[in-house]
Structures are given as C-alpha cells and as structure tokens.
Amino acid sequence: MNELLLTYIVPVYNTEHYVLRCLCSIVNQQLWPSDYEVLVVDDGSTDGCRDIIADFASGHSQVRLLTQANAGVSAARNMALDQARGQYVMFVDSDDRIGDDVVHRLVQRAIDDDLDVLSFNYDCEDSHGNTLPHTRNDNYDNTGVTTGCDFLMGHSMTPYVWRFIIRRDYLEREQLRFDTSLIACEDGALISRFLLNAGRVAHDNTVAYCYVNRSDSAMHNPDRDHLRRRIFSQVDAAVSINANARQFEEQTGKRAPASVYGVRNVYLYFSMTKALTCGLVDEVLDRIRQAGLFPFPCVGPEADYQGVKWKLIHSLMMRPRLWKLLSNIYQKVR
C-alpha cells in the first residue's frame, strides 16, 4: 500500500451530537483526499454514531469506519495505529474539531524539518461554542528543531495527545502504543515516552485544534465505580510517567525535565483530592506508597497551581491521618 502524508485517528464513543462536525473539520482542510486518510474507530457506541459515520464515509473515500466492542479509547487508537498508512499521524477526539485550513501547513513543516514530533497551539470552548480560558499556560511561540528532552526543558509536557503530529515510523520503531489498562491519563503516559526520546521536535504557534469541554463527557461521569477506576488509572499513569523518566535518566545519564515530573505530580495530586471526596484515601495512598511515590512534591509552575490554596491543600494531603479525617468529615456532611 502506498504511504500517505497523514493519518487522522478518531476514536468514537457516543458522540452523535458532535462527530459530524468533527469529521467535517477534518475533510475541509487543504489536503488532497489522496494525501490522507481518516480512520474512525467506533468503540461500541450505543447511540447513532455508527450510522452517522457510515453515511459520511460513503461520500468521502478517504474516511474509513472501523468497529470494535467497547474496549476504551486506548484500544480504539491502537487499532487505528495498526492499520495507519500515513507518514504522520494526528489524533482527534470525536467531540472536538480542527481549525480551518491549518493542517496542510503543519504537515508541510513536519516534512520539511524531518520531525519526529510537531506540537501546536489550541483553543478551548464549551459545548455551546463559547470560548474558555486555558487551564494551562501552554500556547507557545514557534521554536526551531531540538530534541524532545531539550524541548521539555523550556515547555510543559502538555498531556493531550491531540496536541501533536507524530511520525508514524517513530511510533513503530519505538513500539509505542497506548496502555489499554488505563481509562484516564493514558495520553500522559504515552507522551512522556515519545517526547523524552524524540530526536527532532519543534513547536508551531498555529492554533490548530479546538478542545470542547463537555459537562457530559466521560471525564465528568459521577458514577462511583467509574470514579474509582479513573482515580486508580490516574495513579497508574503517574507511575508509568515516573518509570519512563527514570528509564530515560538511566539510558542517557541526564536528568529528566521537571515538566515531566510535573505532570506526574499533577496526576498524583488530583488522585488524592478525588480520593478525599470519594472516601478512598486509604486505598489510593496504599497504591501511591507501593509505587514509592509518597510523599510527592506540590504541583509546580508547569501546571499553574502555585497559589497559596494549592500549597495548603498539598500540605494537608501530605499528612495522611489528617487527610483521612477530612475525608470522613466530607462524607458525613456532603
């Protein structure tokens, strides 16, 4: 099969109100249909997604619908990666969209600079289309080509895989795939590997992606069992990031950038805050301790959580008995 310039990978689960807009934003870029493919993986949706995608694909030969029983976003992305033909890959969540006429410039830059990874800027909006402020100060100016490690020395490790265009051969050579055991923070676990070890990385200041913050997304599912799984997935992702950083240090003799450990700390920090509200402090603490990651530093400047409030909360959670007492009080008064 001939290699294309780009493969878009779009995992889908119950986003019938958003997926058509997402797909339209992809095919309306200034790329010839013969230069790219769109692999849409329906992860066992129970709404009308599959019919919407199938109908759209029937009119766009570059769009292909793949299906699987519900196995999660990581399995869906891995399925598409196994079938991708593009020189580069770009991940797009089905409830988000791509900016107008931007991707062709990014792909051309990635090719011209022979990049392993190209990052770019993004916007945020709510489900009604209202612009939202970034929760992270991570829209940057253009950079030249550098190593992934050097890039991370001056930039945060943004834990969203849709923020990058990645050389497919690099992913294959390093055998990089998403961890299917994680139902949350799987992006950060993988990004820490491909950024730390990439030889040629650059950033483009084009605002190429729009992240839609939905109150009804999986991130906001209030089911207790789901929350428990998400919390432990967050801890396991932090453990994975820590292992990736330590392996990098052993292989190179260099200290992994603070921004990598910063994301690890963010995951641990918010798993502890969720543990308090869900009454799971002992279980979560045991998991973190078993990994040798407790105590952990306060969330640092890479996540913009340096205020007095965050430091006070961190001080409290570093006192397990007090944190457990606060959790018990919360459970009684909520």
Side-chain angles (χ1 to χ4, degrees):
M1 294 186 291
N2 294 328
E3 185 178 63
L4 306 170
L5 295 182
L6 180 66
T7 296
Y8 293 95
I9 293 177
V10 187
V12 177
Y13 182 72
N14 288 356
T15 54
E16 63 180 354
H17 299 300
Y18 303 91
V19 66
L20 183 60
R21 182 185 65 173
C22 173
L23 294 176
C24 286
S25 77
I26 289 174
V27 302
N28 288 336
Q29 301 293 315
Q30 292 183 26
L31 283 171
W32 292 105
S34 58
D35 284 338
Y36 72 97
E37 64 181 350
V38 187
L39 302 183
V40 188
V41 184
D42 179 62
D43 183 35
S45 294
T46 57
D47 63 0
C49 276
R50 189 173 303 185
D51 290 341
I52 293 171
I53 300 163
D55 182 64
F56 189 86
S58 68
H60 298 84
S61 60
Q62 70 274 42
V63 179
R64 184 150 59 103
L65 171 61
L66 308 175
T67 61
Q68 65 177 27
N70 182 246
V73 65
S74 293
R77 288 169 172 164
N78 288 345
M79 172 189 277
L81 277 172
D82 290 342
Q83 301 191 38
R85 294 183 294 142
Q87 184 176 347
Y88 287 89
V89 298
M90 181 175 181
F91 297 93
V92 184
D93 287 349
S94 62
D95 48 359
D96 297 337
R97 60 182 176 83
I98 299 175
D100 296 337
D101 299 331
V102 292
V103 173
H104 67 287
R105 297 196 300 273
L106 297 176
V107 172
Q108 194 59 56
R109 180 172 182 194
I111 293 171
D112 289 345
D113 288 345
D114 192 28
L115 298 176
D116 294 321
V117 181
L118 177 65
S119 68
F120 45 81
N121 290 338
Y122 65 99
D123 279 336
C124 304
E125 64 181 34
D126 64 21
S127 56
H128 302 292
N130 301 310
T131 300
L132 298 174
H134 280 225
T135 57
R136 302 166 60 91
N137 184 24
D138 58 357
N139 267 1
Y140 305 119
D141 295 330
N142 282 328
T143 71
V145 180
T146 185
T147 66
C149 178
D150 287 344
F151 176 82
L152 288 169
M153 289 293 186
H155 302 83
S156 67
M157 194 196 87
T158 313
Y160 312 127
V161 76
W162 43 253
R163 207 222 169 123
F164 306 94
I165 288 178
I166 312 161
R167 191 200 304 269
R168 184 170 61 86
D169 281 352
Y170 172 57
L171 295 173
E172 297 303 318
R173 184 173 68 250
E174 298 295 324
Q175 299 181 320
L176 294 170
R177 289 296 188 270
F178 293 90
D179 185 343
T180 57
S181 71
L182 302 178
I183 69 163
C185 303
E186 69 287 336
D187 287 17
L190 182 69
I191 291 167
S192 64
R193 287 188 63 195
F194 75 64
L195 271 183
L196 274 174
N197 296 297
R200 296 183 62 82
V201 176
H203 177 81
D204 193 290
N205 67 358
T206 300
V207 177
Y209 196 93
C210 183
Y211 168 73
V212 179
N213 189 351
R214 294 167 44 211
S215 60
D216 62 338
S217 71
M219 291 289 289
H220 301 283
N221 188 332
D223 178 75
R224 179 179 169 80
D225 182 62
H226 181 81
L227 283 173
R228 185 181 186 280
R229 292 174 61 212
R230 288 191 66 84
I231 292 170
F232 284 108
S233 182
Q234 196 166 41
V235 173
D236 290 344
V239 172
S240 179
I241 290 172
N242 189 70
N244 293 336
R246 298 303 189 197
Q247 183 180 44
F248 170 83
E249 292 172 349
E250 291 174 3
Q251 293 175 346
T252 66
K254 299 179 180 179
R255 173 71 175 170
S259 59
V260 177
Y261 287 113
V263 175
R264 178 203 65 183
N265 297 342
V266 168
Y267 287 174
L268 294 173
Y269 188 100
F270 286 103
S271 68
M272 285 286 286
T273 58
K274 282 292 185 183
L276 182 147
T277 60
C278 296
L280 296 170
V281 170
D282 287 339
E283 291 183 65
V284 173
L285 267 173
D286 284 346
R287 181 76 66 95
I288 296 174
R289 280 178 168 141
Q290 288 169 12
L293 295 180
F294 190 90
F296 54 86
C298 186
V299 178
E302 64 281 335
D304 288 342
Y305 295 127
Q306 283 189 296
V308 172
K309 177 179 73 171
W310 304 104
K311 292 178 180 178
L312 174 60
I313 293 173
H314 177 264
S315 177
L316 293 172
M317 68 174 57
M318 291 302 101
R319 294 165 171 79
R321 290 182 181 178
L322 180 56
W323 198 245
K324 178 65 180 295
L325 175 63
L326 291 173
S327 179
N328 291 338
I329 294 172
Y330 180 86
Q331 303 307 311
K332 292 178 180 178
V333 302
R334 67 174 180 171

